Amino acid sequence: MTGFAKGHRAFVRRFWQDDSGNATIVCVYLSLAILLTTGAAIDVMRYESIRTKMQHVLDRAVLAAADLDQEADPSGVAQDYVATAGVARALTQVTVDEGLNYRTVSATGNTDVETLFMRMAGIDSLNAPAHSVAEEKISKVEISMILDISGSMGSNSKIQNLRAAAKEFVDTVITPTTDAMDQTTVSVVPYNATVNLGPTVSQYFNIEDTHDYSNCVIFNDNEFDTVDITQDQLLKRLAHFDPYSSSETTTEISNPWCPDDDYGQIVVASSDANALKAHIDSLGAGGNTAIDLGMKWGTALLSDAAAPVFDQMRADGHLSESATQRPATFTDTEAMKVVVLMTDGQNTTQYDLKPEFKTEWSDVWIDDRGTTSMSDDRFSVLVDDNTGTSNDTYYWVRYDGWSWDYRYRNYLDGGTSARRMTNAEVYARWGVKGVAKKFWERPERDNFISQSAYSNIYYGYTGIVGATSADTRLSTVCQAARDKGIVVFAIAFEAPTAGQNALKDCASSDSHYFAVEGIEITETFHAIARQINNLRLIQ
């Protein structure tokens, strides 16, 4: 072997054994890998940004297209919206499905995002798809419309404006549908000094049987801690009375504190727009204002605790098929529960008869003379109750205008035919002041009772809840409603500051509170109805 060959072999051997340059080569490859990875991340970020933008554009496009208020072609609306956003080429398909009370719009799109760095790995572009569906539809919506019908609503056409606004609200939230389960149901809760349950609804609650003339109840303060009124809960019945009438000749009070008929009664979970509007049209104005009572009953009709009441009413034919599965449970994610509360005033004092006049027996006896006519009834009043019945003294009311010598007897007018009247019966026939004047004015003059005792009878009613307490109770039940997920809209209709503050405190948020005047109430009810018929992205 020549020297040259030997030298060459030695060089090759040293070359293969020398590793001093390996680190540089590895670093080069690592740098390329890091660059490619970083570049890929940048490409992915660009892709996600473009995909998100396109998704948002499609979301807004289908929401606009699905709006039942817009009359243009829904497909064209979606396409125009996407074109305005500058991504028209990305839109591949728009599908519209609509019926009498719904519209569903879906849109699909995709675009290719060219890569900057991933192309070094053979990936020249990434496809960004997007799909969105929006639907406007009345589905599983339960509404309590709580309407102030107090006396102040009778001025300046306010009650007329309320009727128009409430009826338009009904027409907006209730539309024809063939699917009873998808209908909105509306409960109407009119209120003034009380809430009249009416002869139908009242029979499904456990109201104490102190009388059966009317159907209003009163609550303790702690009962406002919850929206619930259960079927088993014993409810205290408000006395049936007229605190103001002084007439001595009536056969029944004409203006009871709680109505004795179906005027202003609660309507429960109805989807019959015509019936609801007819009831709204029947509402007048009169009485004090108890917003807390209206809110208590309005929220109770949304509570799943009222399910047994609804079930029995449905079984008896008092609820339509649209009220099936009403009230929905508070945990039902497909249900929306809404209160629309309005007032033109502020909470005032709530009254009831004084306890001594509310129940049990009165000191009045009646002889109906064996006829159904009330015009020939005769009355006696026990004015002096002594030991033994023969020593008692009765004032014979039928002798009004006769000599004083013949006003009082030690026996009843009518003898054994006379019967004792209950306090409930007495105050259902005459106003509180009328009872005092008819039966006790003359005995007071004749010193059978003191002036203070007469005054106690003349003012035989008493305040049971003051305005401040009512505000507190309202605030408490409003908080309980919001805690349960009930959406509370509140409308102060030309209300004083105290009323405005109470309703603003009650509303779900500042944006759910409205202070309005005049015909603005119609616009506000309509705006709320449109919010209730909210557009919901379903995919």
Side-chain angles (χ1 to χ4, degrees):
M1 180 178 296
T2 65
F4 174 79
K6 291 179 179 180
H8 179 70
R9 291 178 62 184
F11 173 78
V12 171
R13 187 180 299 111
R14 289 194 304 272
F15 178 80
W16 283 107
Q17 293 176 349
D18 190 355
D19 59 2
S20 61
N22 287 356
T24 301
I25 296 172
V26 171
C27 288
V28 170
Y29 279 106
L30 287 175
S31 296
L32 289 174
I34 292 171
L35 178 62
L36 183 59
T37 301
T38 304
I42 294 173
D43 283 339
V44 171
M45 290 174 61
R46 290 179 57 249
Y47 160 83
E48 185 60 26
S49 176
I50 293 173
R51 188 200 66 79
T52 300
K53 176 183 177 182
M54 187 169 62
Q55 183 65 54
H56 287 171
V57 170
L58 287 189
D59 287 348
R60 293 192 294 270
V62 296
L63 284 172
D67 186 352
L68 289 172
D69 278 348
Q70 67 87 13
E71 298 178 356
D73 173 53
S75 179
V77 171
Q79 292 170 2
D80 290 344
Y81 205 103
V82 173
T84 301
V87 290
R89 293 182 180 180
L91 184 65
T92 58
Q93 185 179 24
V94 177
T95 302
V96 178
D97 180 25
E98 56 185 336
L100 289 175
N101 74 318
Y102 73 94
R103 178 182 294 159
T104 304
V105 180
S106 63
T108 303
N110 67 76
T111 188
D112 290 329
V113 180
E114 294 184 357
T115 62
L116 300 176
F117 298 93
M118 295 175 68
R119 64 178 58 249
M120 290 187 294
I123 303 174
D124 294 333
S125 65
L126 298 172
N127 183 261
H131 179 70
S132 185
V133 180
E135 177 183 58
E136 181 171 4
K137 186 177 184 180
I138 301 175
S139 179
K140 296 188 84 171
V141 179
E142 302 171 46
I143 303 170
S144 280
M145 188 160 52
I146 306 170
L147 307 178
D148 185 344
I149 57 170
S150 61
S152 57
M153 286 293 295
S155 63
N156 301 323
S157 301
K158 286 196 283 188
I159 193 68
Q160 291 87 346
N161 289 336
L162 173 62
R163 292 190 198 117
K167 289 188 294 182
E168 181 169 331
F169 177 89
V170 168
D171 280 334
T172 304
V173 298
I174 294 181
T175 58
T177 178
T178 57
D179 185 355
M181 288 305 298
D182 274 349
Q183 284 190 348
T184 292
T185 52
V186 177
S187 295
V188 179
V189 182
Y191 72 93
N192 46 26
T194 62
V195 173
N196 180 20
L197 298 185
T200 299
V201 176
S202 60
Q203 61 186 299
Y204 296 96
F205 288 94
N206 184 24
I207 307 175
E208 62 182 4
D209 59 356
T210 50
H211 67 80
D212 59 2
Y213 293 103
S214 57
N215 301 288
C216 297
V217 303
I218 57 179
F219 297 95
N220 297 323
D221 290 348
N222 61 3
E223 291 176 288
F224 288 82
D225 294 339
T226 174
V227 299
D228 300 340
I229 300 177
T230 66
Q231 194 173 39
D232 296 332
Q233 178 180 347
L234 180 61
L235 302 178
K236 297 179 181 179
R237 191 185 295 267
L238 180 71
H240 189 65
F241 68 107
D242 178 350
Y244 304 125
S245 174
S246 59
S247 174
E248 302 177 43
T249 60
T250 58
T251 57
E252 62 178 341
I253 53 177
S254 59
N255 189 29
W257 200 245
C258 175
D260 57 0
D261 54 17
D262 58 5
Y263 168 73
Q265 68 179 337
I266 286 177
V267 175
V268 177
S270 173
S271 59
D272 186 336
N274 290 331
L276 286 166
K277 290 187 291 184
H279 188 64
I280 291 167
D281 260 336
S282 73
L283 300 177
N288 283 11
T289 306
I291 312 171
D292 56 325
L293 295 180
M295 186 65 179
K296 176 64 178 177
W297 277 108
T299 55
L301 296 179
L302 298 177
S303 172
D304 47 17
V309 172
F310 280 51
D311 290 343
Q312 287 193 14
M313 291 186 67
R314 190 181 303 108
D316 293 342
H318 295 305
L319 290 183
S320 65
E321 287 299 318
S322 60
T324 304
Q325 296 184 7
R326 260 64 165 182
T329 64
F330 283 119
T331 57
D332 188 345
T333 58
E334 297 299 319
M336 180 168 63
K337 298 174 183 283
V338 180
V339 158
V340 180
L341 171 67
M342 66 75 53
T343 187
D344 78 320
Q346 62 190 44
N347 278 315
T348 56
T349 301
Q350 298 169 30
Y351 295 104
D352 197 1
L353 281 179
K354 292 176 179 177
E356 61 265 37
F357 305 132
K358 187 172 180 179
T359 59
E360 306 301 331
W361 296 103
S362 73
D363 287 323
V364 178
W365 273 257
I366 180 174
D367 174 20
D368 61 18
R369 301 180 62 76
T371 69
T372 57
S373 173
M374 303 176 77
S375 61
D376 62 351
D377 292 345
R378 296 180 177 179
F379 304 96
S380 310
V381 184
L382 179 63
V383 296
D384 192 8
D385 186 8
N386 296 307
T387 304
T389 57
S390 61
N391 295 320
D392 295 337
T393 304
Y394 296 92
Y395 167 55
W396 285 24
V397 181
R398 75 180 179 106
Y399 283 124
D400 277 354
W402 286 30
S403 160
W404 283 19
D405 293 340
Y406 297 93
R407 267 183 212 287
Y408 301 98
R409 296 287 187 273
N410 62 357
Y411 56 93
L412 292 166
D413 190 354
T416 57
S417 297
R419 62 173 179 83
R420 193 173 187 179
M421 301 178 73
T422 64
N423 274 315
E425 186 180 4
V426 169
Y427 287 98
R429 186 158 177 171
W430 298 279
V432 175
K433 293 178 172 60
V435 170
K437 290 175 64 64
K438 184 177 184 69
F439 298 113
W440 296 103
E441 186 174 64
R442 179 62 63 183
E444 188 271 330
R445 292 180 185 175
D446 294 340
N447 298 317
F448 281 98
I449 64 169
S450 66
Q451 195 280 329
S452 62
Y454 177 77
S455 178
N456 185 57
I457 298 171
Y458 190 84
Y459 299 103
Y461 59 95
T462 184
I464 55 173
V465 180
T468 300
S469 295
D471 284 343
T472 300
R473 301 192 332 169
L474 173 63
S475 180
T476 301
V477 74
C478 289
Q479 182 63 58
R482 296 193 299 268
D483 290 344
K484 285 292 189 178
I486 297 174
V487 180
V488 182
F489 292 93
I491 305 172
F493 180 33
E494 300 181 19
T497 301
Q500 293 182 40
N501 291 340
L503 262 64
K504 190 171 185 179
D505 172 73
C506 185
S508 288
S509 71
D510 287 347
S511 64
H512 290 78
Y513 166 75
F514 304 85
V516 301
E517 297 182 2
I519 60 173
E520 290 176 348
I521 191 171
T522 300
E523 300 169 3
T524 301
F525 265 93
H526 182 69
I528 292 172
R530 294 303 308 147
Q531 289 187 57
I532 294 173
N533 287 358
N534 66 335
L535 294 166
R536 286 172 284 178
L537 282 174
I538 60 176
Q539 290 187 17

